[in-house]
Amino acid sequence: MHVGDDGRLWITTDVPRLGTDEQRAALGNSALLCADPESGRIRRFLTGPRGSGISGVSAAPDQRTLFVTVMGPGWSGSPLGEPTAADPRAVSNWPGHDGDGRPRSAVVVVRREDGGIIGT
């Protein structure tokens, strides 16, 4: 979680490591949520790739750049599938989508096209 200077609460989720297969299927992919204290609304800001967890979030001091950590894309576990040495991309090949690549954790940098404050 991260609390912005304006009080917005950024909430990370890690669905692949929760509960039963049925519970994970009901929840879908991991996500980053933003809770706005002024409106009382909670909105989904982004959804992670299959089999990943959104494990960290931080913002630049001016709140115009957000850094989001995507952990373990392609994590094994039914019903998503089971990566093997022969097919490490059975669940995901994010972030490169290279046919010969492997899923990798990464930090995603988010900025608005208009240069505004993220999440508003």
Side-chain angles (χ1 to χ4, degrees):
M1 288 199 294
H2 170 76
V3 179
D5 290 342
D6 59 0
R8 279 178 291 119
L9 176 64
W10 295 91
I11 305 163
T12 62
T13 66
D14 191 1
V15 171
R17 289 143 186 92
L18 298 175
T20 65
D21 289 347
E22 292 80 22
Q23 291 168 325
R24 287 190 297 271
L27 290 171
N29 288 6
S30 297
L32 176 63
L33 311 172
C34 182
D36 184 338
E38 288 188 26
S39 69
R41 291 177 48 207
I42 298 175
R43 297 179 295 148
R44 180 176 57 201
F45 181 77
L46 64 78
T47 303
R50 288 175 36 136
S52 73
I54 306 301
S55 60
V57 61
S58 186
D62 66 2
Q63 299 182 69
R64 297 180 191 285
T65 306
L66 193 68
F67 303 91
V68 182
T69 305
V70 178
M71 177 182 69
W75 183 77
S76 63
S78 63
L80 295 175
E82 195 67 37
T84 64
D87 185 10
R89 297 166 299 284
V91 176
S92 174
N93 62 353
W94 189 89
H97 303 291
D98 178 356
D100 294 326
R102 305 178 82 80
R104 301 282 188 213
S105 298
V107 175
V108 176
V109 179
V110 180
R111 293 187 52 94
R112 287 178 45 154
E113 287 182 351
D114 67 2
I117 293 175
I118 301 293
T120 60

